[in-house]
Amino acid sequence: MLHELLLALVGYTGDLIIDEREHHKSLGLHLSPDAPISDQRSFKLASDISFIDSSERDLIERLITLGFYYRELDRFATKSRNLSWIRSADVSPLERAAGLSKPKTEKPSVYRRAIANGLVEILSVYRSAVLQIEQKLLSETMPILATVTQGLNKFFVILPPLYELILEIERDDIRGGQLLNLLHKRCHCGVPELQACIQRLLWHGHQVLYNQLASWMVYGILQDQHGEFFIRRQEDRDVDYGSSISDMSEKLARLSTDDSSLTDWHLGFHIFLDMLPEYIPMHVAESILFAGKAVRVLRNPSPAFQFQDALRNQQIKKGSQKVQGSSGRVPFHKEPFLDIKMIGEELLPQSEADKIETMLQDLKESSEFHKRSFECSVDSIRAVAASHLWQLVVVRADLNGHLKALKDYFLLAKGDFFQCFLEESRHLMRLPPRQSTAEADLMVPFQLAAIKTISEEDKYFSLVSLRMPSFGITVKSSQVDLPNTKTYTDGSSGAVLSSTSSETSLDGWDGIALEYSVDWPLQLFFTQEVLSKYRRIFQYLLRLKRTQMELEKSWASVMHQDHTDFAKHRNDRMNCSISQPRRQRCRPMWHVREHMAFLIRNLQFYIQVDVIESQWNVLQSHIQDSHDFTELVGFHQEYLSALISQSFLDIGSVSRILDSIMTVCLQFCWNIENQESSQNTSELERITEEFNKKSNSLYTILRSSRLAGSQRAPFLRRFLLRMNFNSFFEATARGVLNVVRPRPSLPVLNQR
């Protein structure tokens, strides 16, 4: 009777104590290890036993429930610790085909295996207690049931909740971060013994988490064969995680290419919220994601970048040797390919990797999970990764030089180049673009402007290419003989450009855009979204500069013609009498032109000086003060947002009015050269009236209370001050709003 009871307490039934599930089968066989966990207690005393009274029966049946809990916990641990899935990658095709015919087993889980290791520790304590009871009963004459009850009493508060725990895990197929989350919730209980056991299980689960964090944040490798980590590949969203280890090694082999590392940065990995434990905040998970991606970039530099960096170091070494002395033979050095292997280690020194690993090891060795310590360690690791990524992008990749190049070409800081380009292409742009040769036609003035204004020392101009998005052909600035066709990889940016050009079309040439070729690792900083914003600003500024140039050219052209006519007919009194009325008739047009030029010049000065230069100085101060890559990305986004916002590109009503004003100005310039016909005079009157309406509407909108209270208010006031320095716009706008006037002839505008 004693040994029958003790065996039942460790999960072995017999004739006295039976398992009802096995008894109903009438086979007397033990359950299969793969059988599901029973949701009902099935250990019972045999019904035909008559020598045990009812009180003892109740006590024995209460005790043997511990044996049932033990057996189910042990079965769960054995099943979870089964490592047969490791050999699945090496099975032969015949064995694999045979395995397909068998019922599909559940997916393995490293987190369940870790929890199973913790359960084994707890069950070993229980077995030791049963063994101690057996030794005590064999050595002394003591009441059996009382001794067993007294020795195992503490397990009545431990084993039942653990059984409920594994039952929930199996029923809901809980794994990975969800399992950690469940254990973390169960830790909050009022039973110290049970709390200690669940904390131990959670500690085992965190060992797996820390191993995955170390693999990700130290080496940049996602070690997650079964999809249990909260960081996941984008391509694995719909993939079954039954992949073998060989499949994982194939994925890791792709890390050596620069395309994959940059794709991984933008699209390769994401946070899988279903596996993110609730006690890990989202900002901490994002820091973990960033740190791992940064380490991947630092440990897998582009081959082209490796060669350039090694070549640069080799040239520095040769230069230092020449300085040290010219006498004697200079020792022979191999080509810089020998130094390529060192580039990855230089980008992330081993000492820094060891520091990250040490911080994770300290967390791993702690007996309890401390949220504050975990977050501080993650923030420190993220700071290390961000600092080295900053060093790579800002210092080694010359970020500031590329920012200056984008300012020169996309923000028209090289005004002489674009002035020359617009002058060279002025006659071409008077005609509609030909669909087949538009880019090739633009290439000639583009290269002529470059020859006249761009020095050979400008290494960034070769990265700039001219593009007509509506035609889809790209003209590289560095290739004069043969235009290079380049396909856009970012559909969103193309959509932005096409929508912009179609919405506010001045003529066929308003779709001119620039493209900038960005090498590794600057794609991390200059994303397609960022470059599309630069292109949008460039198109706006180029239209503005083109309008300003046309207004100046029209004045110079007509004045030249007027002086020529005056010199030709100065001795002819009849012709003089004819040209004098023509001068009087044209004088109102020059007031209109001056009014247009005044508005365009002030708008151009405001954008180039008050907006671009001031924001550029702010960005430069941020670059000097910051040594964090993510901070730098944020500062650059603020810089672009400020340019768009303070240039009114984000206000549809204002940008539409400005574009229509530029359209009217160009129409005025093109019509004023043919001013002899009366039909042309009426067209100029219509253009003048349209310009007055648009300019007054612009001033009225810019003075609205909605814009006055926005973040652009200080910059807007500067622009309004320049426009309305003599209160002309204010008086004109008030007159337009309060007085309905008939359509006038060409008015005389006393704006000076």
Side-chain angles (χ1 to χ4, degrees):
M1 176 68 184
L2 171 62
H3 289 90
E4 188 86 14
L5 176 60
L6 294 176
L7 287 172
L9 289 174
V10 291
Y12 296 98
T13 56
D15 295 331
L16 182 63
I17 300 173
I18 62 173
D19 183 352
E20 288 186 335
R21 286 196 296 176
E22 296 178 354
H23 185 70
H24 290 327
K25 293 181 181 180
S26 302
L27 295 175
L29 298 176
H30 292 288
L31 291 175
S32 169
D34 294 330
I37 303 298
S38 175
D39 57 353
Q40 293 182 352
R41 292 174 295 182
S42 57
F43 279 21
K44 301 289 184 182
L45 270 176
S47 58
D48 55 351
I49 297 177
S50 58
F51 58 86
I52 299 178
D53 58 28
S54 60
S55 60
E56 291 178 338
R57 175 182 288 272
D58 293 340
L59 185 56
I60 291 174
E61 289 196 348
R62 179 174 179 269
L63 286 172
I64 61 178
T65 57
L66 293 178
F68 168 77
Y69 295 142
Y70 171 87
R71 190 190 69 175
E72 297 303 310
L73 290 169
D74 185 63
R75 288 180 58 241
F76 174 82
T78 302
K79 181 166 55 175
S80 300
R81 298 174 77 198
N82 182 15
L83 298 179
S84 61
W85 56 270
I86 294 180
R87 298 191 297 273
S88 62
D90 302 324
V91 297
S92 65
L94 291 177
E95 292 175 343
R96 186 179 290 112
L100 292 175
S101 61
K102 297 180 180 179
K104 185 177 179 181
T105 59
E106 64 180 16
K107 296 181 291 186
S109 168
V110 290
Y111 280 87
R112 283 197 189 182
R113 175 173 169 78
I115 302 305
N117 291 334
L119 286 175
V120 169
E121 292 181 2
I122 298 172
L123 295 181
S124 65
V125 176
Y126 173 80
R127 283 198 309 271
S128 298
V130 174
L131 178 61
Q132 187 177 2
I133 291 172
E134 181 184 21
Q135 293 173 347
K136 183 183 294 186
L137 291 175
L138 292 177
S139 61
E140 303 177 22
T141 304
M142 301 179 66
I144 296 177
L145 294 181
T147 303
V148 173
T149 303
Q150 186 270 336
L152 300 179
N153 191 51
K154 63 179 180 179
F155 292 100
F156 282 103
V157 297
I158 296 177
L159 296 188
L162 293 181
Y163 165 73
E164 296 293 335
L165 176 68
I166 65 166
L167 197 62
E168 182 176 353
I169 291 173
E170 283 232 333
R171 182 181 65 247
D172 299 335
D173 192 25
I174 299 175
R175 57 186 63 244
Q178 298 173 344
L179 185 53
L180 296 180
N181 200 46
L182 176 62
L183 292 173
H184 188 263
K185 290 180 178 179
R186 294 293 180 90
C187 280
H188 303 293
C189 64
V191 183
E193 295 85 355
L194 177 61
Q195 185 177 16
C197 291
I198 297 181
Q199 283 180 347
R200 185 62 181 175
L201 298 181
L202 185 60
W203 180 88
H204 279 278
H206 281 150
Q207 299 306 296
V208 178
L209 176 65
Y210 290 134
N211 288 337
Q212 290 180 324
L213 289 176
S215 176
W216 175 247
M217 302 174 77
V218 178
Y219 303 103
I221 298 174
L222 184 61
Q223 192 67 34
D224 184 28
Q225 296 95 325
H226 313 300
E228 299 181 285
F229 195 32
F230 57 83
I231 292 175
R232 188 172 289 187
R233 277 187 177 274
Q234 198 81 4
E235 63 194 33
D236 291 338
R237 283 184 171 180
D238 302 322
V239 175
D240 184 12
Y241 278 89
S243 60
S244 62
I245 296 178
S246 62
D247 296 332
M248 179 60 64
S249 63
E250 290 176 2
K251 291 180 181 180
L252 298 179
R254 294 179 299 181
L255 296 178
S256 59
T257 62
D258 59 329
D259 291 339
S260 67
S261 64
L262 292 172
T263 302
D264 288 347
W265 180 269
H266 296 297
L267 301 173
F269 298 96
H270 69 283
I271 296 175
F272 188 54
L273 295 178
D274 290 348
M275 289 299 173
L276 179 63
E278 294 179 0
Y279 55 88
I280 297 180
M282 188 63 186
H283 71 90
V284 177
E286 290 175 348
S287 297
I288 294 172
L289 176 65
F290 169 81
K293 293 197 299 183
V295 170
R296 287 174 69 87
V297 171
L298 294 170
R299 287 189 177 274
N300 299 278
S302 160
F305 178 83
Q306 289 177 331
F307 176 77
Q308 292 175 1
D309 202 79
L311 184 61
R312 191 183 308 116
N313 294 336
Q314 192 77 3
Q315 291 173 348
I316 293 174
K317 290 179 181 179
K318 288 181 179 180
S320 63
Q321 290 170 356
K322 291 180 181 180
V323 171
Q324 289 175 2
S326 58
S327 61
R329 295 183 60 187
V330 178
F332 175 77
H333 290 278
K334 293 184 178 180
E335 292 299 316
F337 296 103
L338 289 178
D339 295 333
I340 290 179
K341 295 181 180 179
M342 302 297 295
I343 302 299
E345 185 175 346
E346 290 177 4
L347 297 179
L348 183 65
Q350 187 59 40
S351 59
E352 296 293 330
D354 293 341
K355 185 189 300 183
I356 296 175
E357 192 169 10
T358 300
M359 284 188 279
L360 292 174
Q361 187 65 30
D362 292 340
L363 292 174
K364 187 176 180 180
E365 293 175 354
S366 177
S367 59
E368 295 183 10
F369 178 83
H370 298 284
K371 182 178 178 181
R372 184 176 180 83
S373 300
F374 180 78
E375 293 182 5
C376 290
S377 298
V378 169
D379 289 341
S380 300
I381 294 171
R382 180 204 159 281
V384 170
S387 175
H388 285 281
L389 196 59
W390 177 91
Q391 181 74 18
L392 169 65
V393 173
V394 176
V395 179
R396 295 206 177 198
D398 188 24
L399 174 66
N400 215 29
H402 289 276
L403 284 172
K404 181 66 167 59
L406 287 170
K407 177 174 177 282
D408 288 343
Y409 296 108
F410 282 78
L411 305 183
L412 273 60
K414 281 190 177 293
D416 56 341
F417 169 73
F418 288 101
Q419 181 72 21
C420 185
F421 167 68
L422 290 174
E423 289 178 354
E424 294 289 346
S425 60
R426 183 171 178 238
H427 295 292
L428 174 65
M429 291 186 183
R430 288 293 183 93
L431 303 173
R434 291 177 293 182
Q435 183 170 357
S436 59
T437 62
E439 287 84 355
D441 293 339
L442 279 176
M443 187 176 187
V444 175
F446 190 75
Q447 292 296 337
L448 284 175
I451 293 172
K452 293 179 179 180
T453 60
I454 304 298
S455 67
E456 295 180 357
E457 298 178 357
D458 190 345
K459 61 182 180 180
Y460 302 103
F461 180 70
S462 61
L463 304 176
V464 179
S465 57
L466 197 64
R467 186 174 187 269
M468 290 285 287
S470 57
F471 300 114
I473 302 176
T474 302
V475 181
K476 294 293 290 182
S477 61
S478 58
Q479 299 176 351
V480 180
D481 299 328
L482 186 63
N484 181 25
T485 302
K486 189 170 184 178
T487 304
Y488 246 39
T489 57
D490 184 25
S492 62
S493 62
V496 169
L497 291 173
S498 62
S499 65
T500 303
S501 60
S502 63
E503 181 182 349
T504 59
S505 178
L506 302 179
D507 55 32
W509 300 102
D510 66 341
I512 296 176
L514 290 184
E515 191 176 81
Y516 195 74
S517 177
V518 182
D519 295 328
W520 190 95
L522 290 174
Q523 292 101 328
L524 305 178
F525 193 85
F526 297 116
T527 63
Q528 287 298 325
E529 179 185 2
V530 168
L531 293 178
S532 68
K533 291 180 180 179
Y534 273 107
R535 281 190 288 269
R536 182 184 177 192
I537 300 172
F538 166 78
Q539 288 184 314
Y540 175 63
L541 293 177
L542 188 66
R543 291 199 299 268
L544 188 62
K545 189 169 185 66
R546 182 186 174 195
T547 305
Q548 181 249 344
M549 186 199 71
E550 287 292 340
L551 288 169
E552 293 177 353
K553 291 292 184 181
S554 65
W555 169 260
S557 175
V558 177
M559 286 298 99
H560 176 73
Q561 182 65 36
D562 184 75
H563 293 161
T564 302
D565 293 343
F566 180 79
K568 183 177 180 181
H569 305 293
R570 61 186 172 182
N571 296 323
D572 189 340
R573 295 180 180 180
M574 182 179 298
N575 288 333
C576 283
S577 62
I578 294 175
S579 66
Q580 190 65 24
R582 185 176 58 185
R583 283 189 177 184
Q584 295 295 331
R585 189 174 66 252
C586 294
R587 187 167 298 169
M589 299 180 189
W590 305 134
H591 285 287
V592 175
R593 191 213 67 86
E594 177 59 27
H595 190 55
M596 291 177 174
F598 174 80
L599 177 59
I600 296 299
R601 279 198 307 267
N602 277 281
L603 177 62
Q604 192 176 28
F605 184 87
Y606 162 74
I607 294 177
Q608 291 290 347
V609 178
D610 292 343
V611 176
I612 294 177
E613 285 299 328
S614 63
Q615 292 300 325
W616 171 259
N617 293 332
V618 172
L619 178 63
Q620 288 299 302
S621 64
H622 285 320
I623 292 176
Q624 293 177 2
D625 297 338
S626 174
H627 287 77
D628 187 299
F629 176 78
T630 50
E631 286 184 358
L632 209 56
V633 172
F635 292 143
H636 186 245
Q637 292 288 352
E638 293 175 3
Y639 166 72
L640 286 178
S641 298
L643 295 184
I644 292 174
S645 172
Q646 294 171 26
S647 300
F648 317 119
L649 289 176
D650 60 337
I651 307 177
S653 57
V654 176
S655 62
R656 283 191 294 271
I657 289 178
L658 288 173
D659 284 326
S660 61
I661 287 175
M662 286 187 277
T663 303
V664 169
C665 291
L666 289 176
Q667 291 174 353
F668 178 85
C669 295
W670 296 336
N671 280 275
I672 202 172
E673 296 179 0
N674 187 20
Q675 56 185 335
E676 297 297 331
S677 65
S678 59
Q679 181 180 1
N680 187 263
T681 302
S682 62
E683 178 67 16
L684 287 173
E685 291 179 355
R686 185 197 65 78
I687 292 174
T688 301
E689 182 180 1
E690 183 72 15
F691 173 76
N692 288 334
K693 289 181 180 179
K694 295 295 183 182
S695 59
N696 290 327
S697 299
L698 174 65
Y699 182 77
T700 303
I701 293 176
L702 293 181
R703 286 203 61 190
S704 65
S705 57
R706 182 172 66 89
L707 293 183
S710 64
Q711 61 178 357
R712 60 176 66 84
F715 312 95
L716 182 59
R717 282 195 290 268
R718 298 178 192 172
F719 180 51
L720 292 176
L721 178 62
R722 289 195 178 92
M723 280 183 60
N724 193 45
F725 72 96
N726 61 354
S727 301
F728 171 79
F729 272 99
E730 185 176 2
T732 307
R734 189 182 301 116
V736 170
L737 293 176
N738 298 332
V739 180
V740 179
R741 293 174 294 182
R743 178 172 176 171
S745 60
L746 288 174
V748 177
L749 301 177
N750 296 321
Q751 176 71 27
R752 300 190 183 273

